């Protein structure tokens, strides 16, 4: 494998420091139908597939994003990443976490915005799938992170981590994909002026029925739906967003998928609510910023309950 193709395979897991572990667990096991796989060292590990965990929760007086972890396919690739980080002068911590954190080997560092990242290989695999639930999940699909300078953050994910740009919305937000080919495994943008942090995490059900069952569950449990059913222009995915105690979660299916030998030419899409939701075509003002449009949409949702 040539060094130029060095790239994580997929988003692996998100580790969150939370204010109230019981409240967070209620959200992550009911609104998002994850299953506890282990409690270890004060942390709760939650899974939706055969991987040991997709989400890690840890009670803290300082709630926030502890880490976004990206899976690397082989130890040889992880070693190559270690050499690359060293060569580029990126400060990192390397460690072995099999007993303590259920990943064999990791590299931890931060992106230029300060978002804490990890590359790991060989997470413990569970011997059986999770107990079947009404809402199936295929994978944890992407995170979107705040970055005060989206162009600088994008250059890091592209040039240091080997990801490929899928699409931009103006130069406000960039979506990048990893080796698994889904339109974005990571998005970075300057949301409302935030310099860093987690904007949302997305899970991928197999289709519309599972999305709608998830939506019915969220409504019944009373968690706020922050953006209701929509189809994104960049990825073409259909889904909805809802807020838990720690972050916003998204359920969406139908994202564009790229193969390694046919990468896309990234588009520079116009800002506007119909870029966020193509079903808003003809209803939006393109002079408004996306942030303004999102605020207006949230106000409309509040007004209509
Ligand atoms: Fe998303």
């Amino acid at each position: 494998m040539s060094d130029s193709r060095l790239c994580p395979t997929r988003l692996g897991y998100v580790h969150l420091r939370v204010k109230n572990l019981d409240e967070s667990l209620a959200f992550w096991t009911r609104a998002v139908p994850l299953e506890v796989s282990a409690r270890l060292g004060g942390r709760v590990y939650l899974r939706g597939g055969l991987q040991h965990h997709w989400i890690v929760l840890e009670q803290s007086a300082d709630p926030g994003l502890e880490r976004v972890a990206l899976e690397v396919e082989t130890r040889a690739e992880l070693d190559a990443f270690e050499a690359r980080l060293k060569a580029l002068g990126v400060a990192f911590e390397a460690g072995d976490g099999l007993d303590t954190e259920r990943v064999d080997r990791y590299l931890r560092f931060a992106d230029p915005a300060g978002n804490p990242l990890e590359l790991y290989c060989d997470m413990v695999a569970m011997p059986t799938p999770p107990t079947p639930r009404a809402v199936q999940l295929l994978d944890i699909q992407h995170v979107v992170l705040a970055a005060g300078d989206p162009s600088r953050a994008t250059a890091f994910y592209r040039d240091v981590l080997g990801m490929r740009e899928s699409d931009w919305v103006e130069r406000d937000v960039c979506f990048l994909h990893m080796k698994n080919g889904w339109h974005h495994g990571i998005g970075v943008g300057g949301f409302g002026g935030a310099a860093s942090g987690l904007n949302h995490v997305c899970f991928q059900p197999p289709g519309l029925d599972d999305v709608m069952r998830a939506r019915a569950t969220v409504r019944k449990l009373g968690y706020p739906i922050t953006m209701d059913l929509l189809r994104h222009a960049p990825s073409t995915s259909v889904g909805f967003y809802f807020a838990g105690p720690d972050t916003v979660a998204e359920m969406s299916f139908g994202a564009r998928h790229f193969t390694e030998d046919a990468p896309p030419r990234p588009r520079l899409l116009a800002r506007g609510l119909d870029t966020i939701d193509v079903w808003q075509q003809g209803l939006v003002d393109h002079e408004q910023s996306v942030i303004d449009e999102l605020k207006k949409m949230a106000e409309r949702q509040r007004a209509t309950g």
Side-chain angles (χ1 to χ4, degrees):
M1 181 177 296
S2 76
D3 192 53
S4 64
R5 292 172 64 84
L6 193 59
C7 177
T9 305
R10 58 183 278 278
L11 172 64
Y13 71 94
V14 178
H15 184 157
L16 298 166
R17 300 185 306 272
V18 305
K19 199 163 56 177
N20 182 317
L21 190 56
D22 290 339
E23 276 178 24
S24 296
L25 265 176
F27 176 80
W28 293 104
T29 59
R30 298 176 73 199
V32 182
L34 302 180
E35 181 174 294
V36 174
S37 51
R39 291 171 185 266
L40 198 62
R43 298 177 293 275
V44 182
Y45 291 80
L46 296 148
R47 68 173 180 138
L50 288 167
Q51 295 96 353
H52 184 266
H53 52 274
W54 290 353
I55 295 287
V56 183
L57 304 175
E58 181 170 12
Q59 179 127 354
S60 170
D62 176 30
L65 177 64
E66 176 69 15
R67 188 176 310 129
V68 169
L70 312 171
E71 182 180 305
V72 170
E73 206 161 359
T74 65
R75 177 61 190 263
E77 283 177 292
L78 196 67
D79 290 344
F81 265 121
E82 185 167 352
R84 180 183 285 180
L85 293 176
K86 254 184 218 159
L88 295 173
V90 177
F92 68 92
E93 174 205 341
D96 299 306
L98 187 58
D99 292 334
T100 53
E101 310 201 40
R102 312 313 273 145
V103 294
D104 198 20
R105 176 82 179 162
Y106 59 78
L107 306 171
R108 291 178 183 164
F109 48 94
D111 76 6
N115 292 300
L117 302 176
E118 173 182 287
L119 296 172
Y120 71 87
C121 66
D122 291 330
M123 179 184 285
V124 167
M126 303 298 276
T128 57
T131 306
R133 307 279 287 269
V135 177
Q136 282 188 67
L137 297 177
L138 298 179
D139 209 350
I140 178 171
Q141 196 195 46
H142 66 256
V143 288
V144 173
L145 300 172
D149 183 342
S151 295
R152 187 163 170 240
T154 296
F156 180 85
Y157 287 100
R158 182 191 61 222
D159 301 338
V160 179
L161 298 188
M163 297 181 193
R164 286 173 170 157
E165 291 158 81
S166 303
D167 282 312
W168 284 84
V169 180
E170 307 283 342
R171 293 296 178 202
D172 300 336
V173 182
C174 183
F175 299 110
L176 301 107
H177 63 277
M178 299 186 234
K179 275 190 180 168
N180 69 358
W182 293 112
H183 179 272
H184 53 288
I186 290 258
V188 287
F191 303 100
S196 63
L198 181 61
N199 178 270
H200 70 269
V201 54
C202 178
F203 299 89
Q204 183 190 6
L208 183 61
D209 286 335
D210 288 270
V211 167
M212 294 308 282
R213 281 193 289 268
R215 181 174 174 273
T217 304
V218 166
R219 283 169 63 91
K220 185 168 185 188
L221 293 170
Y223 292 105
I225 289 176
T226 54
M227 282 201 280
D228 209 348
L229 278 178
L230 50 74
R231 184 189 285 278
H232 287 312
S235 68
T236 73
S237 69
V238 171
F240 73 104
Y241 294 68
F242 52 106
D246 313 310
T247 189
V248 168
E250 175 189 3
M251 294 274 180
S252 72
F253 77 99
R256 293 164 69 202
H257 187 264
F258 307 121
T259 57
E260 280 288 285
D261 55 352
R265 188 184 187 289
R267 295 170 296 175
L268 182 57
L269 291 160
R271 61 172 66 96
L273 191 53
D274 54 355
T275 297
I276 295 170
D277 177 13
V278 297
W279 295 328
Q280 304 290 325
Q281 184 178 2
L283 303 175
V284 297
D285 175 0
H286 272 274
E287 297 307 309
Q288 292 280 345
S289 75
V290 171
I291 298 297
D292 289 344
E293 295 284 5
L294 287 170
K295 280 181 188 159
K296 278 173 22 189
M297 186 161 68
E299 281 161 18
R300 280 198 297 273
Q301 281 175 351
R302 267 198 297 276
T304 57

